[in-house]
Each structure stands twice: as C-alpha cells, then as structure tokens.
Amino acid sequence: MASTLDLSGYKLTFDEEFNSFSWSADGRPGTVWKTTYQGLTRTLSNNGEKEYYSDATVGVHPFSIVDGALRIEAKPSSGNPLGLPYTSGVITTENSFAQQYGYFEMRAQLPEGQGLWPAFWLLAADKKWPPEIDPLEGFGNKPNAVHTGAISGNGAESFGQWNLVPADITTGYHTYGLLWTPTELVYYFDGEEIARGKTPSDMHKPMYLLANLAVGGNWPGVPDGSTEFPAHMNIDYIRVYSNDPKAVAVAQQPVSTPDADWVTKPAAPHSAAPVEGGAPPRTASGNTGTSGN
C-alpha cells in the first residue's frame, strides 16, 4: 500500500536552501558543493552525454541564485576544453557531506525539452561504484513521469522504473524524496509514495548527494529542433534527515520560496506515457567504475 511521508522521529542533518552558493571545482574545505565529479571529471562520456560541466574556473558559469533557488543553466557552447556542444552544471557533496540511511529530498522545477536529463542521486562516500541510488531522473520530453531506482553490484538486486506523476514537473516546483532504511528504499513525489524496493546488500554505507542537468546521452537521446535553450533546472532546496539517535542535527536555514503561491499542477496535455525499462549503466568517475547520470 502506498504511503504518505511521515518524518516523525527524524531530525534535519543537512540543509541547503540556496540563499547563497558555496562551491569549488575540487570540493575544497570550507565549501559545500563540488562542481565536478570524482577525479575532477566534467562529463560522463560513457553515457554519450553532450555537456561539459563548467564553472567560473574554466569559463562559462552555469550557476546563479534566482528568486531563492539555485539555477543550473544548460546552453550551446562556444568552446570548452572537451569540445562538447553544450555547457551545464553538476553539484555534489563528495567532500562535505555523506550519510547512511535517512530521508533525502530535493524541491525543484525541471526543464522541458528533448535530450534534457536532470537528476538527483546518491553515490558511495568510499568512491566505489556500484552502489548508486536514484531518487530522481527525468527526461525533458516526459513532463509527467520520473524514473526512480537503484544500481547494485549484485545485479539481481538492482531495480528501476518510470512512474507517472499527477503534475507537469516542468511548470512548477515539486519534491523528490527517498526514504532509505536498512530494509527498504521508498521513493516519494510531493510527499506521496510512488515506488519502493528492497535495499540491496551493498547499500549499507554512507553516500553523498549529487544533482545535475545532463544534455544528450545514449538513454534520453540528443536535443532536437524543438529543444529550447538556455534550459534551466531550478533547485529550491536539498534537505536530509536522520532518525539515528547519534546523528547531529543542524539548524534550519532561512527559507525563501521561489513561488509562494505554488500548487500542484495537472499533467500537461502533451504528456506521453513513460518509456519501459530502467536506466542503463553510466560512468561517474570518468576512469573507473560505472555510475549514474
């Protein structure tokens, strides 16, 4: 039976309201967000992706704070070190925060357009892959569906599926959540359960957070003439909770809501049924392992 989110007994352990943006390309001490993958990787070439994950240290800066949210902008590139046709952005807490079990949530408005691939996901703090947990993967041409799942080193324990949701995720802000326990992974959209699966045997160790906007790839396909640029992924907040008595609680940051009058919106008339099947393997480190978006 589907459940409604209940965080009774949980405490806030990570809170990013994006009132400002603390970042560095290498995740140096004193900054919250790292703007590259492991090994300072700036694209996931094994996925066939077409974006260069940029920041102000290498040219185009795709990040800005707009109306209380972090905006990640993807757009055609006039030149980057890898010669890729687009620039975009990724943020991770690889060096600043990781947690084993708990509730992980992002509130965001996702971009619309063929070939756009936003995601919110978790990787292991020990830098080994698998495992990977995916609270959200979206396709810009599927505005009423989200993909959830988990990738395990024990292949039979991996799972993933597309889930229809009662809203157009490109026209308003919605929450994408994961409740990770020793026995189950439960996925939520706007506080209501949309999927669940058994926790794989290699997902019992701390994991860190990632959010990004990919462009193109073997799975979503490439942008076409209908894709409008610049494209934006707007993140209102990312929060993490724990029910571990030993976990250290953090104070809630000042909250600024991008659209205070936001309400759940119905699915767009052009919404298509979700595609079948799960996400294919993808490479996160650029040189070792295979991982998520």
Side-chain angles (χ1 to χ4, degrees):
M1 181 178 178
S3 63
T4 298
L5 181 65
D6 181 4
L7 292 179
S8 300
Y10 282 76
K11 67 188 78 171
L12 185 68
T13 53
F14 177 87
D15 181 40
E16 176 61 90
E17 301 294 328
F18 293 111
N19 299 309
S20 60
F21 183 44
S22 171
W23 70 276
S24 63
D26 55 3
R28 68 192 58 179
T31 57
V32 178
W33 297 103
K34 182 172 180 275
T35 55
T36 58
Y37 288 125
Q38 294 175 22
L40 303 182
T41 303
R42 290 188 179 272
T43 196
L44 300 184
S45 56
N46 282 14
N47 294 352
E49 295 178 21
K50 305 300 182 184
E51 84 294 317
Y52 177 79
Y53 287 121
S54 191
D55 58 48
T57 68
V58 290
V60 174
H61 194 62
F63 307 104
S64 59
I65 301 296
V66 179
D67 296 331
L70 177 69
R71 171 167 290 177
I72 301 177
E73 181 172 276
K75 64 182 180 180
S77 175
S78 59
N80 59 72
L82 298 181
L84 292 164
Y86 302 93
T87 56
S88 189
V90 59
I91 58 173
T92 92
T93 61
E94 178 186 338
N95 295 343
S96 63
F97 176 83
Q99 181 172 295
Q100 180 175 322
Y101 310 137
Y103 179 68
F104 303 75
E105 184 176 85
M106 176 180 74
R107 183 175 187 261
Q109 179 175 353
L110 307 183
E112 180 178 18
Q114 166 59 34
L116 300 177
W117 184 8
F120 172 49
W121 44 304
L122 284 71
L123 287 178
D126 63 11
K127 313 297 177 68
K128 296 179 180 179
W129 188 95
E132 172 186 330
I133 309 178
D134 299 310
L136 160 72
E137 292 185 275
F139 284 179
N141 64 348
K142 299 184 181 300
N144 70 326
V146 298
H147 190 274
T148 56
I151 302 175
S152 170
N154 306 303
E157 299 180 35
S158 298
F159 61 89
Q161 67 183 53
W162 284 96
N163 311 278
L164 292 174
V165 294
D168 183 334
I169 58 180
T170 69
T171 61
Y173 282 80
H174 299 276
T175 59
Y176 304 88
L178 163 75
L179 184 62
W180 170 23
T181 77
T183 58
E184 284 190 307
L185 299 173
V186 187
Y187 301 84
Y188 292 88
F189 176 80
D190 287 342
E192 299 295 329
E193 179 186 337
I194 57 173
R196 71 169 58 205
K198 183 179 179 181
T199 302
S201 56
D202 55 356
M203 295 184 185
H204 302 289
K205 55 185 177 180
M207 302 183 80
Y208 66 89
L209 313 170
L210 306 95
N212 66 293
L213 174 54
V215 183
N218 302 327
W219 189 29
V222 297
D224 60 22
S226 69
T227 309
E228 295 185 6
F229 289 101
H232 298 130
M233 177 181 181
N234 299 319
I235 306 174
D236 178 20
Y237 65 69
I238 296 177
R239 299 172 184 163
V240 181
Y241 301 80
S242 176
N243 65 351
D244 183 347
K246 298 179 181 179
V248 178
V250 300
Q252 173 76 58
Q253 296 180 10
V255 175
S256 57
T257 304
D259 50 346
D261 297 325
W262 169 82
V263 294
T264 301
K265 299 176 175 66
H270 62 279
S271 297
V275 300
E276 298 298 325
R282 289 151 289 158
T283 300
S285 68
N287 33 38
T288 60
T290 304
S291 185
N293 182 18

